[in-house]
Amino acid sequence: MCVMDGRGRRRLFSALIALMAIGSVNWTLFSLPFTNLGELRATVAQVPDRAAPAYPHFLEGVRARTPAGATIAIAVPRPYAYYRASYFLTGRTLVPLSNAKDADYVAQWPMPSGSPELNVVWRGYGGVLAKRTR
Amino acid sequence: MIAALITIALLTAAGLPFARALHPDARASARTGEAFFIGCAWIPIAMFALSLLHIRWSLTSILVSALIPALAAFAIRRTSPATSPKTTLTIIDLVTALLIVLYGIYTTLGMWELDFWAIFGMKARAFFDHGGIDWHLLTSPFNAFMNPDYPLALPLLFDVHAIVNGAWDHRWIGLLYPAFTIALVLVTRPLIEKESNSPLIVSAMTLTIAALSFTRTAGTAEAPLVAISAAALLLLRRGILDDDTRAIRTASILLGVAAFMKNEGIAMVAAAFVAVLVTTRSWRRAAALWPAAACAASWIAVVRLFHLKSQFLQLQATHLRELPAMARALASNPPEHGFFWVVALITIVVAFREAKRESLLGTFIVVQLLLYVATYLATSLPVVWQIDQSWTRLLSHVAIPLAFVAFASAVHERK
């Protein structure tokens, strides 16, 4: 396929190998030493919760106020928020609100209107944690 | 950070007896890389066994169950001197080392990717809280989003870090990612040196392989899968070229480790089997991949036994009518490192005479991509959406084999 001989061919293929190396590198990594890593870390930490910055704080509050092994019904507006709750509330069994009858607690975010069968345990960061009365 | 470094050392120590037994004539540095990869499967296997026996995970229980049986592998150790010459370092290797350090800074910035906190990290954190694998979590009908059928090696590696650390802390898990790159470089450097005696060319290819193993999404299984499978495939290629049974055996084990990282690794075992068969036309050679097949089959058996549901597969072709839309979606999702792909493909075209000899890696790439397209046909999710979400990522799985085909073709045309 290649019609060149000798030195020209060596140069061509050396150049192609060098270009492959150049093309494989993410050169933005070299900007990291000139970046404020503390600020960058804080920005990265906020990425999953950009739309709802208070939500992880609410989930941490729920974790602190519920025992391991508890079943918590999660009432949130989007599936994304349910997945997020799963990460913060490990050690508890999470169920959707439709299965609240099996739950020890109900965590609702954002703040819901009151329900007569719920005893509010804690309100904070725009949400409420309630214990179900059985 | 100390806990992460201890975790990496622990994984390497657990794999070292196996690496020494499997590949005694490998260079010590390459064996260290192989040991890290093997440890990344062996310790999770031990943790899996502890869970089945209802023994709570602790540093002691993991050390006893993983390290002591591993030491038995010393009994079958056969010593042979390393045959490879010493490596010559160049200024490009300094750039590679610096790049890996910067990558380590990047991967420890934090875990932001959805696949970490909804799948791999979430499982790991839940298992850590539980003190073992929480089968109730994996089989709950409300948790299909976490892909319960994904192999568990990666979450269990995160748990090793949490156990060593004594608490869940996802930041320093990120240090595992440069460790995968370093292990890949250690395993593949002697393989690159076998192709070229130009130190600069060897260093440039090492840089390429290291850089292609980086991920933008730390906390997911992509980078471990890419690193381990690439090491396995390049070692398999060399083993077949040299008729080196030990290298083939080690490659097969590494391919099995890749299958424990992600479902795509199971597909890689099948693709590698086809590639070996096509290349060697020898069932005996293809059968040498039995350890990889056994690893893949063992996880499939676990999925069946524990009824772990897949979110994606219905195992029926439901999207045949959408083939034109699929083709458009595949074409509109180009790979990462587009410039690299263009240069690699140009190199293969220009050096096609030599590239034809790389049928093992070439067949692997084609079969693996065809398996991905076949999987799209059976997805239970909207197929175009799924292609948009995953095709770029899937292409990264074959980037290093593609780079090696281009590299090997170029260096042989250069001669």
Side-chain angles (χ1 to χ4, degrees), chain B residues 73-311:
Chain B
F74 271 114
I76 53 169
R77 178 167 70 92
R78 285 155 295 182
T79 49
S80 306
T83 51
S84 306
K86 292 230 168 191
T87 194
T88 306
L89 297 176
T90 70
I91 187 78
I92 300 173
D93 292 312
L94 196 64
V95 175
T96 306
L98 177 62
L99 207 56
I100 293 172
V101 170
L102 294 172
Y103 176 55
I105 294 171
Y106 172 76
T107 57
T108 52
L109 284 174
M111 301 292 173
W112 53 269
E113 166 68 23
L114 185 145
D115 279 8
F116 172 77
W117 55 258
I119 302 176
F120 302 102
M122 200 281 272
K123 286 177 189 169
R125 189 174 183 182
F127 296 169
F128 176 66
D129 282 349
H130 190 70
I133 295 170
D134 185 349
W135 296 106
H136 177 72
L137 177 92
L138 292 177
T139 52
S140 164
F142 307 120
N143 293 338
F145 67 90
M146 67 174 71
N147 294 296
D149 65 319
Y150 276 13
L152 291 176
L154 189 66
L156 299 191
L157 291 180
F158 295 165
D159 282 325
V160 178
H161 172 263
I163 289 163
V164 171
N165 190 47
W168 179 257
D169 172 11
H170 64 218
R171 178 183 167 194
W172 293 108
I173 286 172
L175 268 191
L176 284 172
Y177 286 78
F180 280 107
T181 295
I182 292 168
L184 172 66
V185 166
L186 292 176
V187 173
T188 56
R189 179 72 174 219
L191 308 175
I192 299 168
E193 287 173 354
K194 284 227 172 188
E195 304 297 327
S196 172
N197 51 17
S198 161
L200 281 174
I201 293 287
V202 167
S203 297
M205 189 54 195
T206 306
L207 171 60
T208 304
I209 285 181
L212 290 175
S213 76
F214 292 173
T215 181
R216 285 197 293 184
T217 54
T220 68
E222 244 47 57
L225 177 72
V226 165
I228 300 168
S229 63
L233 289 164
L234 301 195
L235 192 58
L236 181 64
R237 170 188 175 276
R238 178 42 60 190
I240 288 173
L241 285 176
D242 293 349
D243 197 20
D244 180 348
T245 312
R246 289 166 171 174
I248 293 171
R249 193 172 48 203
T250 309
S252 179
I253 294 284
L254 294 185
L255 210 49
V257 177
F260 282 141
M261 288 295 151
K262 206 157 186 240
N263 279 347
E264 288 93 325
I266 295 173
M268 284 175 176
V269 175
F273 179 86
V274 173
V276 171
L277 199 57
V278 166
T279 304
T280 64
R281 299 181 195 284
S282 161
W283 285 100
R284 186 181 62 82
R285 271 280 177 254
L289 295 183
W290 72 263
C295 292
S298 67
W299 179 250
I300 292 169
V302 168
V303 169
R304 295 282 179 274
L305 282 171
F306 289 88
H307 306 289
L308 305 179
K309 298 278 190 299
S310 167
Q311 188 187 183

Side-chain angles (χ1 to χ4, degrees), chain B residues 312-332:
Chain B
F312 299 122
L313 289 180
Q314 294 178 329
L315 293 181
Q316 54 186 354
T318 56
H319 301 292
L320 281 173
R321 289 179 186 171
E322 296 179 72
L323 278 175
M326 284 176 66
R328 282 194 297 277
L330 292 172
S332 61

Side-chain angles (χ1 to χ4, degrees), chain A residues 70-73 93 95 98-105 132 134, chain B residues 142:
Chain A
T71 299
I72 306 173
T93 300
V95 294
S98 56
N99 287 62
K101 62 178 177 13
D102 302 324
D104 305 310
Y105 294 87
R132 279 196 73 244
R134 298 190 189 234
Chain B
F142 307 120

